[in-house]
Amino acid sequence: MDAHPLCEVSLSEKKHHAGKECDHIIPIRFGGAKYHPANLISLTVFYHRRKTGKEKARNAPIVAWVETEWGLVPKNRDELFGLLKR
């Protein structure tokens, strides 16, 4: 959160809302990398709830991923921004 104090989805919309929660883009329960910076994102509570709801509905990560030696990381972070803005 220190490195990214603003919500990254809001920033993609040219808005400046404080990031209140740090989230794993690919959840750990699906094999997401626990500490890899590419798998962490700063979100508002609203966007975090929206993302979690979409994951629960699919019972899977909502973005494409690649495997690394640390675990799964998103293939393209921008894909998440588009999915959460809908």
Side-chain angles (χ1 to χ4, degrees):
M1 295 301 295
D2 290 338
H4 297 281
L6 298 176
C7 170
E8 294 180 55
V9 177
S10 297
L11 282 174
S12 74
E13 298 177 307
K14 310 246 187 295
K15 297 176 183 173
H16 297 88
H17 298 289
K20 298 291 185 182
E21 300 180 356
C22 184
D23 184 57
H24 292 90
I25 299 170
I26 308 296
I28 295 169
R29 71 181 180 278
F30 297 129
K34 193 170 187 175
Y35 300 112
H36 196 288
N39 195 38
L40 298 172
I41 189 167
S42 176
L43 296 172
T44 61
V45 172
F46 172 81
Y47 281 127
H48 190 204
R49 287 183 181 157
R50 179 176 275 186
K51 178 183 171 288
T52 300
K54 288 176 180 277
E55 289 164 347
K56 284 182 180 178
R58 290 186 60 189
N59 196 31
I62 61 172
V63 297
W65 47 267
V66 294
E67 194 168 340
T68 70
E69 62 186 280
W70 305 281
L72 306 179
V73 297
K75 194 175 214 177
N76 178 358
R77 291 170 65 93
D78 292 345
E79 181 184 2
L80 179 66
F81 302 154
L83 291 171
L84 294 182
K85 289 191 265 184
R86 295 181 193 162

